[in-house]
Amino acid sequence: MQDETEDAIAELHAMLDRADSIVSFTGAGISTESGVPDFRSPGSPWMVNKPIPFEAFVQSREARIEAWRRKFAMDDHYRDARPNIGHRALARLVAQQRSPAIVTQNIDGLHQASGVPEEQVIELHGNGTYATCLTCGWRHELAAIRPAFEATGEPPACVMCAGPVKSATISFGQAMPQQQMMRAQALALECDLFLVVGSSLVVYPAATLPIIARRQGARLVILNREPTDLDPIADLVIRAESGVALARLAE
Ligand SMILES: [Zn+2]
């Protein structure tokens, strides 16, 4: 590892030690180390299993069938994914009550799997590990949906109201979850350290959160393998794997 990166990691840990209220904001980069494919990387299985836009899903039975086929194809790519050092390090901050919550763009449920209580994970893009009815909101488990879908080829319908059932993710064209966005904004306004982990910060409005935090005087740290547009306003930028940079916390 380059000295420069080592110095930056040492500085990160000094900043974490000094901070009282740390909000972590995570993206695909933290989970690629667990084997979850990144939507944007070349050759990603997402390219052949592109998510179906929300409008098409709502309007067309064929689109719903195709959406579920692709959903289960993608699930096969990461069903064995387990939390990695990066997830465990951030979970530790929550367990030590130094971090009120983790805000994530990920839909893989790995923060919860690393031991963070569900109410302390704010999911801006939903969750792909279960499904909900678009009409009544009833939760449906994939373990029940998948065998029925594979046996009949029919898109799942709600057991309560017969409405269309969709993976609990936020699709392209679907409204952002208002309550989660408001909670994330409130956290950005209250924290004294905002830690971006594995996000390229290109998806808005989520990427406005680091700006909100920085403006109210929080320190901003960006830990990502690639440069981001917000690097110039960060107090510290670390170009490293999240597991490497956060390892000391997870020990
Ligand atoms: Zn329903």
Side-chain angles (χ1 to χ4, degrees), residues 65-114:
I65 292 170
E66 183 59 14
W68 278 103
R69 193 193 64 72
R70 294 183 189 182
K71 156 74 181 151
F72 291 132
M74 283 309 295
D75 281 1
D76 290 343
H77 283 281
Y78 62 87
R79 95 182 121 196
D80 297 325
R82 297 289 175 269
N84 62 53
I85 292 169
H87 294 105
R88 292 202 298 274
L90 301 185
R92 192 116 190 244
L93 290 174
V94 175
Q96 291 171 339
Q97 301 190 333
R98 298 171 59 213
S99 173
I102 296 171
V103 182
T104 189
Q105 298 174 290
N106 297 339
I107 59 167
D108 53 35
L110 290 180
H111 288 300
Q112 291 92 327
S114 71

Side-chain angles (χ1 to χ4, degrees), residues 133 135-138 158 160-163:
C133 170
T135 305
C136 77
W138 189 262
C158 180
M160 304 300 282
C161 76

Side-chain angles (χ1 to χ4, degrees), residues 18 23 91 112 125 135 139 186 224 239:
R18 286 195 299 269
V23 170
Q112 291 92 327
H125 297 168
T135 305
R139 175 171 165 149
N224 195 48
R239 302 260 166 79

